[in-house]
Amino acid sequence: MTQVFDVERVLAQLTLEEKASLTSGSDFWHTQGVERAGVPAVMVTDGPHGLRKQAEDADHLGLGNSVPATCFPTAAALGSSWDVELVTRVGEALGRETRANDVAVLLGPGVNIKRTPLCGRNFEYVSEDPVVAGELGTAIVRGIQSQGVGTSLKHFAANNQESDRMRVSAEVDERTLREIYLPAFERVVTGAQPWTVMCAYNKVNGTYASENHWLLTEILRDEWAFEGLVVSDWGAVHDRVPALAAGLDLQMPAAGPRPDEEVVAAVRDGSLDEAVLDVAARRVLHLVARSLPGVEADDSFDVDAHHELAREAAAAGSVLLKNDGGLLPLTSAESVAVIGEFARTPRYQGAGSSQVNPTRLDAPLDALRATGGAFPFAAGFTIAGGPAGDDQALLTDAVAVARDARTVVAFLGLPGPDESEGYDRPRLGLPDNQVATLRAIAEVNPRVVVVLANGSAVSVTDWRDLAPAILETWLGGQAGGSAVADLLLGVRTPSGRLTETIPHRIEDTPAFGNFPGEAGVVRYGEGVLVGYRWYDTRAMDVAYPFGHGLSYTTFGYSDVAATADGTDVAVTATITNTGSVAGAEVVQVYVRDPEASVLRPTRELKAFAKVTLEPGESREVSFTLGARDLSYWHPGLHRWVVEGGEFVIEVGASSRDLRGSVSVDVEGEPLWGELTVMSTIEEWFAHPVGGPLLQSALVPPADMGPLDETMQAMILQMPAKVIADFGLVGFDREALDALVAKAAAG
Ligand code: BGC
């Protein structure tokens, strides 16, 4: 076994060239070793929902073969479980497989916010909400790292689209970054200290993430106290010298000798401080040292147990969107036809670097038939949308099969090429040939259950009335087929909830008009109104709201209470399983600030808990919210601010199904800023010192009558300097300058 080396002793004996070489990979997947100093190379590899360890033909697009590994549900599915404990267990299993394959770091999770349903990589991301993405991201990192291997939290930051991802500049205002795009990363970094953070390809406000000092050093290190290593996304570094200076430690993959030589030259000519290089080299050495015990250990993993876990997780992440008349679960006595190519050719993961070579694969049709029923099948359509004549013949067959059955389960979804890393989705809806088949079968048999397989929201508005039941399974991993059989047959009860809103139309979505950008720039014009924050604040109708999901049982909420103590708010609610089977409810706590000096979303999720209850069982759940949960990022003060006064705490089963609401009075902080000559009269009056000073200084001329309402409103908006320049008696620039000085002195 390789001796774990002493990082400081090794660093002290390295030459400048060796230190420079440590700051990039030695090949596609390995760090650089220094044989002379006893430093081995270690392997890092994708991620996020399974291990993609390539034995040969390395690439980052999922082309080359990789060793068999469990393909767990993608983040879209896993996240929809809202189950911290389950996600931690999946993380532990991922960690075991990583370790068993002698890999040091699994490249995941991805916690970028789903800004638009069209992002090609949404299946790899958790949510449109930062609390959900951050909590579940923390759980998976904790799980993986508990096994002595590392993670890579990615893609930091504002990588919310695939179009032009390697060059585009995400133009995002400071408040929106702080409230929407950074907090999931912050939660995971502060809560779980991932071994590495992966910087994104794109620019953030004009500067490549890989060269962004504000992002990689001021935010990540100085504010969040990140202790690990910053690795680049594969090919995201264009100039290693400024990247090192900004806070990048490791460029991946190997980039040839030139960047190393440039680093050496920059240190020699004094343009890069050697101490900066030492910091990066030390972090690489530390990563290697901490991973050696796991990499060197001789261990394996239990393929069957991991498959079972993948099945449990896929079921927990499936969302029952509708179930009119209790069509589901199916009863063993009814004859059930299975329609749709996806039933025998499942879609279970997306394309690109996250593609896992699964240890096995369950198709829904096989899993259903394994329970003993006949389950007659018709493909109904081709996934790729074949020539019209072929699809018409498949449709005709499907209608015949559907007509003879009591109930029909139609497996629909997005074709594989619709969802991939590297480009965005071409459409929000399902392909026309699938919808045509659904229409035709619904005409002969109204008892239709639609099972969806897609990695990101699809529009359902045009066809949902044709199906009394819809089960969204996302891309559920290798055991998704058996999980869906469990759910359809009632072996398990659905308990997933939407982590992203399902909109009616692409035109309704927040980024519409500002996506995917133009001329190398994408402007996040919707600001903080992302996901349900947008739909709820604008009171728009949606197909299914954030947080929504049905069960085979029902839940009652009672005794919703909230009390404030300073800026801490204690929230409690009692949840009761009011139906006849066991099930799990996801209790969601939203905060609303009805009056604020900035636009705040109508409601924002701040806490949640998944509670499993037997029929008739009740449980009290409690949450503690802190100042940060009530605050917004003040764009002028550049910090978090709690504005005192009324806050409404809403507890419910989705952002549109609120079961209890309590107002609390919160002690906030005074919000006056420093007064200047350009502060408005309104700002002066709101200031406890400056207000009275200005009041007594503004003496209206004796012949002036009282100001009417319009005049008053106009004056309130005017900077004090403009009034002073108008030259009122006793109030000129000198007098104003004196007031500014007095107000500053308090
Ligand atoms: C992806 C990363 C991935 C890396 C290595 C990149 O193209 O954006 O998520 O970890 O390749 O495969």
Side-chain angles (χ1 to χ4, degrees), residues 292-609:
L292 284 182
V295 165
E296 299 287 331
D298 185 17
D299 36 24
S300 58
F301 67 93
D302 183 338
V303 174
D304 294 339
H306 285 193
H307 186 77
E308 270 314 300
L309 177 58
R311 180 174 180 166
E312 180 189 347
S318 297
V319 183
L320 184 59
L321 296 176
K322 68 184 281 196
N323 193 19
D324 293 354
L327 187 55
L328 288 177
L330 306 170
T331 61
S332 52
E334 64 195 296
S335 73
V336 176
V338 175
I339 308 288
E341 184 58 48
F342 290 113
R344 67 173 173 195
T345 313
R347 255 206 89 213
Y348 61 101
Q349 61 177 336
S353 63
S354 66
Q355 270 184 89
V356 175
N357 176 14
T359 58
R360 70 176 72 146
L361 182 58
D362 296 346
L365 183 59
D366 296 340
L368 286 166
R369 285 182 174 165
T371 64
F375 295 100
F377 169 76
F381 53 84
T382 54
I383 294 176
D390 293 2
D391 266 2
Q392 186 55 46
L394 293 174
L395 181 149
T396 309
D397 281 357
V399 169
V401 172
R403 188 181 282 121
D404 290 346
R406 164 106 172 109
T407 308
V408 187
V409 182
F411 286 82
L412 310 180
L414 290 177
D418 273 28
E419 295 180 289
S420 173
E421 173 178 347
Y423 57 88
D424 289 316
R425 283 173 59 187
R427 58 188 152 198
L428 187 65
L430 294 176
D432 293 345
N433 63 338
Q434 294 186 33
V435 178
T437 299
L438 174 63
R439 285 190 193 290
I441 59 178
E443 256 175 44
V444 299
N445 191 332
R447 291 172 57 85
V448 180
V449 177
V450 167
V451 174
L452 288 171
N454 42 273
S456 178
V458 292
S459 57
V460 297
T461 306
D462 290 347
W463 52 260
R464 67 171 164 171
D465 290 346
L466 303 173
I470 307 176
L471 180 66
E472 172 60 85
T473 66
W474 308 111
L475 300 179
Q478 68 179 48
S482 41
V484 81
D486 292 344
L487 293 169
L488 292 172
L489 300 172
V491 177
R492 293 182 202 260
T493 305
S495 66
R497 302 289 185 265
L498 292 178
T499 62
E500 57 193 287
T501 309
I502 302 186
H504 286 304
R505 315 173 309 150
I506 193 61
E507 291 84 352
D508 294 347
T509 59
F512 185 79
N514 280 312
F515 165 84
E518 43 215 14
V521 167
V522 52
R523 205 171 61 82
Y524 286 33
E526 69 286 1
V528 296
L529 300 184
V530 175
Y532 65 92
R533 289 167 166 80
W534 168 268
Y535 302 108
D536 286 3
T537 307
R538 299 193 152 225
M540 290 167 75
D541 192 32
V542 298
Y544 294 104
F546 174 82
H548 169 76
L550 304 174
S551 166
Y552 295 153
T553 187
T554 46
F555 298 95
Y557 286 61
S558 55
D559 304 328
V560 173
T563 48
D565 177 9
T567 50
D568 284 344
V569 179
V571 184
T572 50
T574 300
I575 317 301
T576 305
N577 181 342
T578 49
S580 53
V581 293
E585 172 70 329
V586 177
V587 185
Q588 302 158 40
V589 179
Y590 295 89
V591 168
R592 182 144 61 91
D593 184 1
E595 242 182 78
S597 39
V598 295
L599 171 88
R600 299 201 67 178
T602 290
R603 64 183 54 84
E604 298 186 86
L605 183 86
K606 293 300 169 185
F608 63 88

Side-chain angles (χ1 to χ4, degrees), residues 225-240:
F226 175 56
E227 294 162 6
L229 165 144
V230 176
V231 60
S232 73
D233 200 341
W234 268 231
V237 174
H238 305 297
D239 190 346
R240 200 188 309 155

